[in-house]
Amino acid sequence: MDQIGRVLDAGRLAPTAGNLQNYKVILVRERAGIQKIAEAALQQYWIETAPVILAIVAEPQRARQFYGERGEKAYSIMNCATIAENMALTAHAIGLATCMVGAFDQDMMRAAVGAPDYVNVELILTLGYPDEKVPVPERYKLTDMVFLERWGARIANLDTSTRVWSTTVQKNLEKGKQLFRRGSKTLFQQIQDRTLDVHDKVKQSLKQRKR
Ligand SMILES: Cc1cc2nc3c(=O)[nH]c(=O)nc-3n(C[C@H](O)[C@H](O)[C@H](O)COP(=O)(O)O)c2cc1C
């Protein structure tokens, strides 16, 4: 429970538009509740393997009061995404595993967590201990997704300059480094060999002079 507390608190500390904090988090541990959530999530039954579920619920009316349609339709969702990410990062940092779930039927999900019609469940966060080590998924390179000053203006050498590489490039780079290390001597060895070489040459030329 201490770990769950830390995850929840990370969500509490997340920023929200105008600091409205117009959301609630529903902590679900009972099996029956988790089964209903999996069913509402378009029958994603893998969700039932999670011991804990956090449902992140927006209260859009409060955002509408202050910020109109944008508050209701955009800020409310943005707030929940920010809260979920804070919680996911904290969970990961303390050795837990999470998965965000956004594919679900809103009415069924409200019913599953007993939420009223005037709120929206925005995200489900599964929480548990990892039972496998998953490979890091591929991501686009920075060069492909960051523009400079205006849409479409790529920064050609961004990945090189920040030393952020796609996982494939990273793997190949590591392979290359290993091959290089295997095939070449260390810098110290190279200096030592060169010094001995110079030392021999000096000795020989001194001998020749004596003759
Ligand atoms: C908004 C959002 C909704 C998602 N919904 C689902 C979902 O319904 N079911 C699922 O299995 N994964 C879902 N995911 C997880 C993504 O598929 C996953 O994060 C993505 O494949 C990248 O993998 P990674 O999180 O390991 O980097 C969702 C993620 C986000 C951010």
Side-chain angles (χ1 to χ4, degrees):
M1 201 60 194
D2 176 47
Q3 281 170 307
I4 300 172
R6 285 176 68 183
V7 171
L8 290 170
D9 211 38
R12 187 181 68 85
L13 295 172
T16 54
N19 201 21
L20 270 187
Q21 302 169 67
N22 59 322
Y23 69 92
K24 297 285 181 285
V25 177
I26 304 175
L27 167 65
V28 185
R29 293 175 306 168
E30 288 172 4
R31 299 319 307 161
I34 292 177
Q35 277 161 10
K36 279 186 207 158
I37 287 171
E39 197 68 47
L42 315 182
Q43 302 174 338
Q44 296 188 67
Y45 293 120
W46 63 267
I47 291 172
E48 292 177 8
T49 61
V52 172
I53 300 284
L54 301 174
I56 303 156
V57 185
E59 298 166 307
Q61 280 176 347
R62 283 184 54 212
R64 187 176 185 88
Q65 249 174 289
F66 286 86
Y67 300 114
E69 195 180 350
R70 189 149 175 83
E72 179 188 355
K73 302 244 168 82
Y75 299 168
S76 294
I77 300 173
M78 292 172 187
N79 290 344
C80 288
T82 311
I83 290 149
E85 182 68 352
N86 258 27
M87 297 203 291
L89 288 174
T90 301
H92 180 76
I94 61 177
L96 299 175
T98 65
C99 184
M100 288 183 198
V101 175
F104 54 78
D105 179 275
Q106 182 62 249
D107 291 333
M108 280 177 78
M109 193 58 87
R110 275 199 206 102
V113 297
D117 282 354
Y118 57 86
V119 300
N120 291 329
V121 182
E122 299 296 356
L123 264 173
I124 295 293
L125 194 66
T126 63
L127 201 58
Y129 291 103
D131 64 357
E132 57 179 340
K133 205 169 158 41
V134 287
V136 180
E138 290 282 323
R139 295 285 203 263
Y140 291 122
K141 286 188 290 177
L142 281 180
T143 316
D144 295 328
M145 53 184 294
V146 178
F147 298 145
L148 186 62
E149 316 295 357
R150 68 191 61 82
W151 181 264
R154 289 174 194 248
I155 311 168
N157 60 352
L158 189 59
D159 291 274
T160 329
S161 60
T162 54
R163 303 197 66 76
V164 176
W165 311 86
S166 80
T167 38
T168 312
V169 174
Q170 186 87 48
K171 262 186 250 157
N172 289 340
L173 201 69
E174 274 313 311
K175 247 190 245 166
K177 272 192 207 164
Q178 274 172 11
L179 285 173
F180 178 78
R181 271 188 220 117
R182 242 181 272 150
S184 68
K185 296 172 181 175
T186 63
L187 186 62
F188 179 74
Q189 274 173 326
Q190 287 178 36
I191 293 170
Q192 203 174 34
D193 289 354
R194 185 94 186 99
T195 315
L196 287 173
D197 200 30
V198 173
H199 183 75
D200 285 347
K201 277 184 189 155
V202 171
K203 245 173 143 182
Q204 268 175 5
S205 70
L206 282 174
K207 262 187 204 167
Q208 275 168 0
R209 271 190 208 167
K210 274 185 192 166
R211 279 186 209 137

